[in-house]
Amino acid sequence: MAVSGFEGFEKRLELHFFGDIDDDDGNNMLGLRLLDFESLEQVLLAVQCTVVSAVGNPFFDAYVLSESSLFVYPTKIIIKTCGTTQLLKSIPPLIHFANNLGLSLQTCSYTRGNFIFPKSQPFPHTSFQEEVIYIEHNIPNNLCYRKASVMPSKLPSHSWHVFTATLLPPLKSPHHATFTVEVCMTELDRLIARKFFSRDSKTGDLAGRDMTELTGIDTINAGAFICDFAFDPCGYSMNGIDGDRYSTIHVTPEDGFSYASFECVGSVYDDPDDIVEILKKAVRVFMPATVSISTTRCSREVWTKMARALQPLGLKCRSFVMDEFPAAGTISYQTFTAAHRK
């Protein structure tokens, strides 16, 4: 393991807002999508990253960042950043700009795995305790239903850090038809990882497209429109948009601390086999030796099928834990390693 390197494990923040975003005829308006690019740049300046590519559709806008991704819906923002970014510093400006649009914060969710290089992280990410203190200081007091927890595993280098807060008591929380799947993969197959190094000094959108096709990422969800980007000298990010759902992949391919993440959204009305097949395709792209999967608001049927789906890829489930959180509902966390490992 390298003494120091690029931190692949992302920090993820999801904020939900409420307010009147309909016009006089009851037509849905843009809400948070009315935030101009200058405002988003101010938010990202606080985080210490920039936009490198963007795409949108009638449902949401998706931005590939210099360190991961940003998704903006009318009443929801998801921002996910890696490296030594200061993600939580986005909370004050996001709340400020949303308030200017007549929107108020309803729920806040923060998740991350274990950092590979924790001592390289800046404030407020020096520890989970420090992160929780910072969030609680910067969200409104009326988000009074709060919980922070570290979900453990049998792998000492893998645990799942979760903080949620909401202004609604659990029994009055809205029903969510969608669920989120977050996958973290380490020790990528070396031959596959080499495909995410730039060739002939090519970077940007065109090189990103080459990596997408060369690795088979474009087959994970053939119906999605992909916005991809390749970094110099290595690294890759992509956002997929498919109707009102997003997917995203980020790759740090350096040997010794190789990492890839995959995140997508499913619906409780879908055939569970569909999301499981997508997961299997994503993991197969990278053939990692270690995988962790977190699901939020997901049914037992789905996460049990996920565990079985990875067995043919040579991965064995080593631990499973689940917990209940305000606003997020049930979160499950599973870890897998190569079956030949004890």
Side-chain angles (χ1 to χ4, degrees):
M1 178 66 72
V3 173
S4 182
F6 187 81
E7 180 60 65
F9 273 90
E10 297 98 347
K11 318 162 182 87
R12 182 186 186 277
L13 178 69
E14 181 170 337
L15 302 177
H16 289 243
F17 295 85
F18 70 97
D20 186 7
I21 61 169
D22 294 341
D23 62 17
D24 293 337
D25 296 322
N27 298 313
N28 186 262
M29 303 297 282
L30 294 173
L32 294 167
R33 299 180 71 188
L34 290 172
L35 290 175
D36 57 32
F37 190 69
E38 182 180 349
S39 297
L40 291 178
E41 282 187 313
Q42 288 186 45
V43 173
L44 297 176
L45 179 62
V47 176
Q48 297 294 295
C49 62
T50 58
V51 172
V52 298
S53 191
V55 68
N57 70 6
F59 301 98
F60 68 101
D61 300 309
Y63 301 84
V64 175
L65 306 179
S66 54
E67 280 86 8
S68 301
S69 294
L70 166 68
F71 303 97
V72 182
Y73 289 78
T75 59
K76 175 175 69 177
I77 283 183
I78 300 162
I79 180 169
K80 183 171 184 172
T81 63
C82 55
T84 55
T85 51
Q86 297 166 283
L87 173 63
L88 295 179
K89 288 191 175 181
S90 67
I91 294 176
L94 284 174
I95 292 176
H96 170 74
F97 290 131
N99 289 166
N100 289 344
L101 294 172
L103 298 172
S104 300
L105 187 63
Q106 177 172 298
T107 66
C108 169
S109 299
Y110 174 68
T111 56
R112 69 166 174 86
N114 274 28
F115 295 128
I116 300 173
F117 307 107
K119 292 183 179 180
S120 299
Q121 290 298 314
F123 174 84
H125 299 284
T126 51
S127 70
F128 185 54
Q129 181 182 15
E130 196 69 57
E131 291 171 322
V132 171
I133 292 172
Y134 186 88
I135 298 172
E136 292 194 313
H137 179 73
N138 284 282
I139 60 176
N141 291 331
N142 63 344
L143 272 68
C144 57
Y145 299 93
R146 305 179 179 188
K147 182 173 180 177
S149 180
V150 179
M151 303 177 72
S153 79
K154 292 182 179 179
L155 307 179
S157 61
H158 284 263
S159 58
W160 197 241
H161 303 69
V162 183
F163 173 86
T164 67
T166 181
L167 55 77
L168 298 172
L171 293 178
K172 293 186 178 180
S173 294
H175 170 71
H176 293 277
T178 60
F179 58 86
T180 305
V181 180
E182 298 175 67
V183 184
C184 301
M185 297 169 274
T186 56
E187 301 175 76
L188 312 182
D189 178 274
R190 290 187 178 186
L191 292 178
I192 293 173
R194 294 302 303 175
K195 297 178 181 179
F196 294 98
F197 281 77
S198 60
R199 299 182 179 186
D200 304 321
S201 301
K202 289 174 59 179
T203 59
D205 300 329
L206 293 178
R209 172 55 49 183
D210 290 344
M211 290 181 183
T212 298
E213 295 175 353
L214 179 65
T215 59
I217 286 175
D218 56 336
T219 66
I220 295 173
N221 179 3
F225 178 84
I226 293 177
C227 180
D228 36 25
F229 196 90
F231 297 91
D232 183 30
C234 62
Y236 167 90
S237 289
M238 84 79 166
N239 292 331
I241 60 173
D242 184 5
D244 61 352
R245 304 183 195 181
Y246 69 88
S247 60
T248 186
I249 289 176
H250 304 284
V251 185
T252 301
E254 293 96 325
D255 190 30
F257 48 94
S258 62
Y259 171 86
S261 67
F262 171 71
E263 179 178 333
C264 68
V265 178
S267 170
V268 296
Y269 304 113
D270 292 342
D271 184 336
D273 291 335
D274 293 342
I275 192 73
V276 170
E277 186 61 27
I278 287 174
L279 169 69
K280 191 158 65 171
K281 287 180 180 179
V283 175
R284 187 183 290 121
V285 164
F286 300 101
M287 297 305 293
T290 306
V291 178
S292 68
I293 302 175
S294 171
T295 60
T296 303
R297 295 187 298 269
C298 190
S299 69
R300 177 183 293 270
E301 181 182 10
V302 171
W303 50 252
T304 53
K305 285 191 173 186
M306 286 180 178
R308 291 196 295 267
L310 297 190
Q311 291 177 2
L313 302 182
L315 293 163
K316 182 178 180 179
C317 185
R318 303 296 182 178
S319 62
F320 172 83
V321 64
M322 61 189 299
D323 202 352
E324 295 289 329
F325 291 85
T330 302
I331 294 181
S332 69
Y333 181 62
Q334 303 178 76
T335 58
F336 303 80
T337 63
H340 60 79
R341 291 187 179 182
K342 293 183 179 181

